[in-house]
Amino acid sequence: MAPSDRREFLQGLVGAALLGTGCGKALQASTRSSASLAEDGLRRHAEARGLFYGAATGNRRLKEDKAFADTFVRECGLLVPESELKWQVLRPAADRFDFANSDWMVDFATQHGLLVRGHTLVWSQRLPAWLTENAGTANPEQGLINHIQTVMRRYAGKMHSWDVVNEALEPTDHLPNSLRKSLWLDKVGPDYIDLAFRTAAQADPKALLVYNENHLDYDVRPDEVKRQATLELLSRLRTAGSPVQALGIQAHLRSDENRFDPKKLRDFLAQVAKLGLKIIISELDVADASLPADITTRDQAVAAQYSAYLAAALDEPAVTGVITWGLSDRYTWLSEYRPRPDKLPVRPLPLDADLKHKPAWDAVAKAFDAAPKR
Ligand code: G3I
């Protein structure tokens, strides 16, 4: 399917999701007062500007925490299963797929009129032991093709987009083309990325096919090198006719980071757009581990990062939507991966642990309200 056809399909999907859930009103939201918008979830602010907003979460959060699930459905127009589509969860054995958790997530999304984004088909991490051990990788190329085909075909037509390949670049590994050391590079070779996109395009011609990458955000040398490597990778793929259609920019931000230069980000986004690609801000959150304990100070600093980043990102017309990596501070990977030294609960997301709006929520809503209409 040509990129323009895919775009039309996606627009249709978004429209259908809006109408199917009685949210056609959102399409007229730009004519409504900001007071009335403030009562709506973030998805309405996004949709009023022709964007989408969603979040990642896990199936147990939605199953076991009704207040969280209700809030999720009110705030979000799209759901990303945070772990359920990773190899480690899907592939208990070489000859077996376990779709119980991912099926539940896709059903939940369908029932509640949410788009679903698949994360992720090819990544160097979260691989099962049977695969990382030699016995499991006798025919890794065929194994990769089989995995992509089986998983994508199961959800074909239901997915807004797929992170076909995640985090394939790591300049500090000092390999050709800045490719990251990984089982896939090692066992399949450098063309594994192209192979994955070509296999994906056949397996589900309707899903938007995304290359997802981290550390692209700041005006620091490692991010600059990563941006350049990403542009080169995307450019090589496009030239070779590989069906990559969008870049996912993870945007795991750090609230103590003063080196954000909006112009650098805008220039990068414009270069990606010039390659004919869409852009999704795919895993946004703001780590607060280095900020002072005082909650007001912390929340303002986190909100300021959301404001500055989204003002720059949403200025680029190729950016189609924003996903936060979690919705409420009640559930965030940062509690485990980037805890505060003083052990206070972290506050990186739009809603607090009581599911109440924080300054970060206001910052995201305002950024959507100020975004040029798509
Ligand atoms: O599934 C086991 C469960 O059986 C066990 O009881 C529990 C005990 O700790 O652990 C569970 O596994 C956890 C898994 O998520 C599933 O929830 C792991 O401990 C935990 O480390 C794992 O972390 C996830 C991480 O990716 C690795 O898969 C995070 O939640 C998730 O937010 C994070 O997401 C990544 C993206 O995929 C790629 N980009 C960066 C992003 C943040 O690291």
Side-chain angles (χ1 to χ4, degrees):
M1 184 186 276
S4 59
D5 294 336
R6 285 179 187 278
R7 265 197 297 285
E8 275 171 30
F9 169 79
L10 281 177
Q11 280 158 3
L13 257 188
V14 174
L18 290 173
L19 296 170
T21 51
C23 301
K25 279 180 281 176
L27 295 170
Q28 298 141 22
S30 54
T31 60
R32 298 165 59 190
S33 72
S34 53
S36 124
L37 263 177
E39 292 151 23
D40 290 332
L42 288 174
R43 67 176 287 182
R44 303 274 188 271
H45 290 260
E47 286 161 1
R49 313 308 296 161
L51 292 154
F52 65 81
Y53 167 72
T57 196
N59 71 95
R60 284 174 54 190
R61 316 317 193 187
L62 296 170
K63 273 181 199 159
E64 294 169 9
D65 186 340
K66 186 169 183 325
F68 177 73
D70 290 346
T71 305
F72 195 97
V73 170
R74 192 174 63 248
E75 292 285 348
C76 297
L78 177 146
L79 167 66
V80 185
E82 192 169 346
S83 291
E84 289 78 357
L85 290 163
K86 292 174 183 169
W87 278 69
Q88 209 173 47
V89 178
L90 281 181
R91 305 296 304 276
D95 57 354
R96 209 151 61 78
F97 287 79
D98 180 353
F99 288 112
N101 290 328
S102 51
D103 281 358
W104 191 92
M105 292 296 260
V106 174
D107 288 349
F108 178 92
T110 307
Q111 276 164 27
H112 294 94
L114 308 179
L115 303 173
V116 197
R117 177 166 157 69
H119 173 83
T120 174
L121 294 161
V122 188
W123 190 21
S124 59
Q125 295 184 36
R126 299 292 145 174
L127 299 173
W130 62 259
L131 179 64
T132 52
E133 287 160 11
N134 282 337
T137 56
N139 192 343
E141 183 171 323
Q142 194 48 48
L144 182 66
I145 292 171
N146 180 43
H147 179 85
I148 294 173
Q149 287 178 339
T150 307
V151 178
M152 286 188 81
R153 283 178 186 161
R154 186 172 187 90
Y155 302 117
K158 295 184 176 174
M159 286 290 182
H160 162 273
S161 50
W162 266 107
D163 283 336
V164 178
V165 179
N166 187 47
E167 300 170 19
L169 298 171
E170 182 44 79
T172 60
D173 282 348
H174 302 295
L175 293 175
N177 295 324
S178 297
L179 290 178
R180 179 187 291 275
K181 281 182 196 160
S182 78
L183 176 141
W184 304 117
L185 180 62
D186 195 29
K187 307 281 182 191
V188 183
D191 287 339
Y192 80 89
I193 303 173
D194 177 57
L195 175 70
F197 277 103
R198 288 183 197 274
T199 307
Q202 284 184 350
D204 181 358
K206 291 181 174 169
L208 185 80
L209 305 182
V210 182
Y211 175 70
N212 200 45
E213 190 52 272
N214 62 11
H215 298 302
L216 297 169
D217 316 295
Y218 288 112
D219 186 19
V220 295
R221 184 73 190 146
D223 290 23
E224 182 60 46
V225 173
K226 182 68 88 73
R227 283 194 288 273
Q228 195 50 41
T230 301
L231 283 172
E232 285 166 13
L233 170 66
L234 294 173
S235 176
R236 277 199 311 279
L237 289 170
R238 296 291 281 176
T239 304
S242 202
V244 57
Q245 295 168 319
L247 172 66
I249 297 183
Q250 292 189 10
H252 291 293
L253 305 181
R254 302 174 290 276
S255 49
D256 57 327
E257 184 59 79
N258 293 322
R259 289 170 290 180
F260 177 61
D261 179 344
K263 186 173 179 314
K264 285 270 162 66
L265 184 70
R266 278 203 194 99
D267 288 350
F268 173 64
L269 299 180
Q271 285 175 285
V272 174
K274 247 175 127 176
L275 293 172
L277 297 169
K278 294 286 172 203
I279 301 165
I280 296 172
I281 307 303
S282 59
E283 304 188 10
L284 180 61
D285 54 16
V286 182
D288 68 346
S290 318
L291 288 173
D294 176 67
I295 284 181
T296 307
T297 311
R298 247 202 291 167
D299 283 0
Q300 292 300 343
V302 167
Q305 284 269 330
Y306 275 104
S307 293
Y309 194 87
L310 287 179
L314 296 177
D315 204 35
E316 167 51 59
V319 174
T320 58
V322 176
I323 295 156
T324 50
W325 208 242
L327 173 65
S328 148
D329 298 335
R330 191 179 284 192
Y331 305 119
T332 161
W333 70 290
L334 292 166
S335 307
E336 179 187 343
Y337 286 79
R338 222 162 288 159
R340 290 180 55 84
D342 59 14
K343 308 255 190 306
L344 286 171
V346 297
R347 301 175 64 85
L349 289 164
L351 302 181
D352 71 13
D354 294 325
L355 308 175
K356 302 247 164 47
H357 292 182
K358 288 162 54 190
W361 189 98
D362 297 329
V364 178
K366 280 187 186 138
F368 285 139
D369 296 346
K373 195 151 178 18
R374 269 58 177 167

